[in-house]
Amino acid sequence: MRKKLFIFLFLGLVNLIHSQSEFPNDYFTNPLEIPLVLSGTFGELRTNHFHAGLDIKTKQVEGHKVVSSADGYVSRINVSLWGYGNALYITHPNGFTTVYGHLQKFSPEIDAYVRKKQYEKESYSIRLYPKKDELKVSQGELIALSGNSGSSGGPHLHYEIRDVKSNILNPMLFGITVPDHKNPTVQNAFAYSRNADSQVNQSSKIVQLVFSRQYDGDLLANTIYAHGEIGFGINAYDRLDGALNRNGLYSLEMNVNGENVFQFVVNKFSFDESRFINSYIDYERLSKLKQRVQKCYVEHDMNNLSLYKKLENRGYINVKDSLEYTVSIIAKDFEGNKTRLIIPIKGKKDSIITPKEIKKTAYFFKADQINKIADSLVSVSFPKNIFYEDFYFDYSNKDGMVQLHNSSVPVHKSFRLNFDISNYTEEELKTLHIAKKNRYGKLYYVSTKRKDNLLYTVSKNLGEYTLMSDNVKPTIKAMGFKNEQWLTKFSRLRVKIHDKGSGIKSYRGEIDGAWIRMAFNPKTGILTYDFSDKKLEGTLHKLKVVVTDNVNNSTTFTTTFNKKN
């Protein structure tokens, strides 16, 4: 008896030590000098990806001090107009890397390093990989100010922790805590029939469940009558203390008659698998109704997400005639707050009154094969395993507007769409590009390249495409100053740039013929030059700004100003 107790305690201690060494709880500190309040949690559902970190609120303003979470060195610096914008990557002695995104500006030492490289390359956007001994930092040391750069939707700090294999890890595992005493909210629940022979309430279509809250806080659904293999999905979110944001769940599990058959947990994942989110959710419902329904089953063979921790029969329940089942779906946040949905099922083989409708077309695509379409204007090739399942593909070409099915079907990998341009003159081709129609019916530029008599684009989105011309040049306007004005008291120079056609591809700023570092904010269209960047010789100076759009229409703006150093 004592021997068994000793073994039990020993194994428990080993597991505890392993857990602490895998995710050290006292190593990383808060990257901001303000209390942590989140607008986004790790692994929550985003467009085409799981969120890779924590989005930390900065009280709706920029400029809060961002500090290094631990000792280390700056191993990567990104300055980009999109994505994480201004971002720092700090590698630590324990092998982990912390990431700080959407920054306003870097610390003086880091900015001096970046500025030198930008002037050498004459490029504002830049990616740098400093050597281990170039930019060392200590825990708590100022590394940047928080901002709203890149593809940020508002001021905040994006914070990540990665391991040596570049897996993204949940920062909460490292002891970074945020107050949370609220249970997740389940908004909707749905039952899915796996095939034409399965049914729920005499339907093989998706069935929305009706449920109500019980005195103990659980949700109880009305009894459903089913037969064959069925699955369930829920539309749910979590809220943390001090914020109204609808955040993601930490885990989702399902039990059938008390036995666990499905478990999904967001502890870590890789960027390579993140796009499988489109298989994990009901993508068609997202496309049509903007609801993110998380499925408690794995529908597609190629979905190999590592976030699935338990799968019995892929999460499907095989309901047999005359038998009864109790399904329990439990949504949890990281702190263990949970909401339980109970679904009673009675097995009943019945006639199917509402079968699932399948629209047949001339093109039937097999997911594990290469699928091609071609006519006099267009050719497109879809590689194998680009789609999650076989389906009928809807294609049309009406007066040059090409319809590639619709946006309700997810695309996992890129395909190439070609347009024949042999009927266009070289002059016409100078401003021709491929455009895609958005959900509001507006056409917008998509990346377009030329090879011989083809214009082509590489995309991961189905929908409507066409050829379009852009003959309008970008515009450039000075902000707050005019030609020959004295700017001695000015600390910065600003111009507004805009292109209403294909969009801005590049810009270049010069003073007295030399390149200057002008920061561009795509949200406002403003270019900014800080006069502290370098010393100007003399008093009279010439500013030149050249802006080029995506089809190479170009505008040049010149003006003179006076300034004493």
Side-chain angles (χ1 to χ4, degrees):
M1 181 66 183
R2 288 183 177 179
K3 184 176 182 181
K4 289 182 179 179
L5 179 61
F6 174 78
I7 293 174
F8 176 79
L9 293 174
F10 175 76
L11 291 175
L13 181 61
V14 169
N15 287 333
L16 177 62
I17 293 172
H18 173 73
S19 175
Q20 289 177 341
S21 62
E22 185 179 8
F23 306 113
N25 270 247
D26 56 355
Y27 195 87
F28 296 111
T29 59
N30 185 348
L32 289 171
E33 295 182 344
I34 57 175
L36 289 185
V37 180
L38 301 185
S39 60
T41 51
F42 181 82
E44 70 183 22
L45 312 179
R46 299 290 179 88
T47 301
N48 295 320
H49 69 283
F50 295 98
H51 188 228
L54 302 179
D55 282 346
I56 306 173
K57 285 177 173 283
T58 56
K59 301 180 179 180
Q60 300 181 341
V61 297
E62 301 182 40
H64 284 281
K65 292 181 179 179
V66 180
V67 299
S68 178
S69 282
D71 294 349
Y73 68 96
V74 178
S75 55
R76 177 176 163 187
I77 306 170
N78 278 6
V79 178
S80 173
L81 303 182
W82 313 107
Y84 291 172
N86 300 327
L88 290 175
Y89 298 68
I90 297 178
T91 297
H92 306 282
N94 63 356
F96 294 103
T97 296
T98 50
V99 182
Y100 312 76
H102 306 306
L103 304 171
Q104 181 194 73
K105 60 173 65 174
F106 304 125
S107 67
E109 181 185 2
I110 297 173
D111 184 62
Y113 177 90
V114 173
R115 181 172 63 248
K116 181 176 183 295
K117 300 295 184 181
Q118 288 172 318
Y119 273 95
E120 288 175 358
K121 295 179 178 293
E122 295 192 352
S123 174
Y124 177 73
S125 296
I126 199 167
R127 179 173 292 182
L128 303 170
Y129 297 90
K131 295 178 181 178
K132 191 173 183 178
D133 58 351
E134 287 188 289
L135 292 172
K136 293 183 178 180
V137 294
S138 301
Q139 186 176 65
E141 179 181 339
L142 176 70
I143 56 172
L145 297 180
S146 66
N148 188 31
S149 60
S151 302
S152 169
H156 73 281
L157 174 68
H158 177 84
Y159 178 75
E160 294 180 16
I161 299 179
R162 303 182 184 180
D163 65 15
V164 292
K165 297 180 180 179
S166 293
N167 291 312
I168 317 105
L169 309 172
N170 192 337
M172 301 288 200
L173 297 170
F174 294 83
I176 295 177
T177 59
V178 179
D180 182 6
H181 298 87
K182 301 176 182 179
N183 294 333
T185 298
V186 176
Q187 292 180 288
N188 302 288
F190 304 90
Y192 297 81
S193 297
R194 186 174 189 181
N195 50 51
D197 296 325
S198 304
Q199 58 175 284
V200 175
N201 295 343
Q202 294 187 278
S203 174
S204 59
K205 290 184 176 182
I206 179 174
V207 173
Q208 183 165 353
L209 306 184
V210 178
F211 56 82
S212 58
R213 187 171 297 278
Q214 305 301 293
Y215 289 112
D216 60 1
D218 286 347
L219 305 175
L220 178 63
N222 292 351
T223 299
I224 64 171
Y225 296 86
H227 188 265
E229 290 190 299
I230 65 172
F232 292 98
I234 65 168
N235 179 23
Y237 64 87
D238 185 47
R239 278 196 171 122
L240 290 77
D241 296 358
L244 295 176
N245 302 75
R246 295 186 174 188
N247 301 126
L249 304 176
Y250 170 65
S251 71
L252 184 63
E253 63 181 77
M254 184 174 70
N255 302 319
V256 180
N257 292 338
E259 181 182 350
N260 183 234
V261 299
F262 174 89
Q263 189 176 30
F264 180 91
V265 183
V266 286
N267 278 335
K268 73 175 182 178
F269 60 90
S270 68
F271 285 108
D272 289 342
E273 63 179 322
S274 192
R275 197 173 177 88
F276 280 119
I277 189 174
N278 293 333
S279 175
Y280 171 59
I281 63 172
D282 182 342
Y283 189 87
E284 182 176 6
R285 196 167 189 88
L286 171 64
S287 174
K288 294 179 178 179
L289 298 175
K290 305 307 171 189
Q291 290 183 352
R292 286 184 166 90
V293 177
Q294 299 175 242
K295 295 183 292 192
C296 299
Y297 61 95
V298 177
E299 184 177 5
H300 308 114
D301 291 338
M302 65 181 288
N303 179 359
N304 57 3
L305 268 174
S306 64
L307 298 173
Y308 296 116
K309 301 306 177 185
K310 182 68 179 290
L311 280 176
E312 294 290 338
N313 193 34
R314 299 162 62 99
Y316 285 104
I317 304 164
N318 189 6
V319 179
K320 297 182 179 180
D321 192 33
S322 302
L323 296 183
E324 295 187 0
Y325 306 79
T326 299
V327 172
S328 176
I329 297 176
I330 304 169
K332 290 183 183 179
D333 60 28
F334 189 83
E335 291 298 320
N337 303 305
K338 62 185 178 182
T339 297
R340 187 193 339 262
L341 171 65
I342 299 170
I343 308 168
I345 305 174
K346 289 187 176 181
K348 184 179 181 182
K349 188 173 184 179
D350 210 337
S351 59
I352 297 177
I353 299 175
T354 312
K356 186 175 182 179
E357 298 172 356
I358 299 176
K359 180 184 176 182
K360 295 186 177 182
T361 70
Y363 303 93
F364 184 72
F365 280 10
K366 299 282 289 183
D368 61 353
Q369 298 178 6
I370 297 173
N371 297 280
K372 296 182 179 181
I373 289 177
D375 61 22
S376 59
L377 176 65
V378 166
S379 62
V380 57
S381 178
F382 298 98
K384 64 180 181 180
N385 297 325
I386 194 173
F387 300 113
Y388 296 129
E389 60 186 358
D390 302 344
F391 69 107
Y392 285 97
F393 190 90
D394 194 8
Y395 173 78
S396 67
N397 180 352
K398 298 178 181 178
D399 299 323
M401 180 63 71
V402 174
Q403 179 183 340
L404 299 180
H405 203 69
N406 59 67
S407 59
S408 68
V409 172
V411 180
H412 193 72
K413 297 185 291 186
S414 299
F415 64 89
R416 176 170 155 168
L417 170 64
N418 305 299
F419 280 84
D420 186 285
I421 53 173
S422 56
N423 292 330
Y424 290 87
T425 67
E426 283 300 319
E427 188 63 27
E428 290 172 327
L429 289 174
K430 290 180 180 179
T431 59
L432 198 66
H433 65 88
I434 300 173
K436 187 179 185 300
K437 186 180 289 187
N438 65 18
R439 59 179 176 172
Y440 305 108
K442 183 178 179 180
L443 292 169
Y444 64 93
Y445 171 88
V446 294
S447 178
T448 304
K449 296 182 178 180
R450 182 179 177 181
K451 183 178 182 181
D452 301 325
N453 284 328
L454 294 176
L455 283 186
Y456 70 91
T457 188
V458 176
S459 178
K460 291 181 180 179
N461 297 292
L462 299 177
E464 294 181 275
Y465 291 83
T466 191
L467 293 175
M468 189 175 180
S469 292
D470 174 15
N471 297 296
V472 181
K473 293 183 177 182
T475 60
I476 308 173
K477 294 181 180 180
M479 294 186 66
F481 70 96
K482 56 186 178 181
N483 191 42
E484 299 184 352
Q485 182 176 338
W486 279 90
L487 304 182
T488 302
K489 295 184 178 180
F490 281 52
S491 62
R492 60 184 183 176
L493 200 61
R494 301 198 305 166
V495 296
K496 189 174 182 67
I497 64 177
H498 176 68
D499 186 80
K500 68 177 183 179
S502 56
I504 294 169
K505 179 175 72 173
S506 64
Y507 65 90
R508 179 182 175 88
E510 296 178 356
I511 292 180
D512 302 332
W515 183 85
I516 56 173
R517 182 175 72 158
M518 299 192 83
F520 180 47
N521 185 342
K523 301 180 184 73
T524 61
I526 295 175
L527 283 171
T528 303
Y529 171 68
D530 193 322
F531 279 119
S532 65
D533 243 18
K534 65 178 184 178
K535 184 178 180 180
L536 299 178
E537 300 293 335
T539 301
L540 181 64
H541 304 284
K542 181 180 179 180
L543 171 69
K544 178 181 177 182
V545 178
V546 181
V547 179
T548 305
D549 67 18
N550 279 298
V551 296
N552 294 320
N553 294 312
S554 183
T555 298
T556 300
F557 169 85
T558 58
T559 189
T560 58
F561 64 91
N562 296 278
K563 185 174 177 62
K564 290 183 178 179
N565 286 304

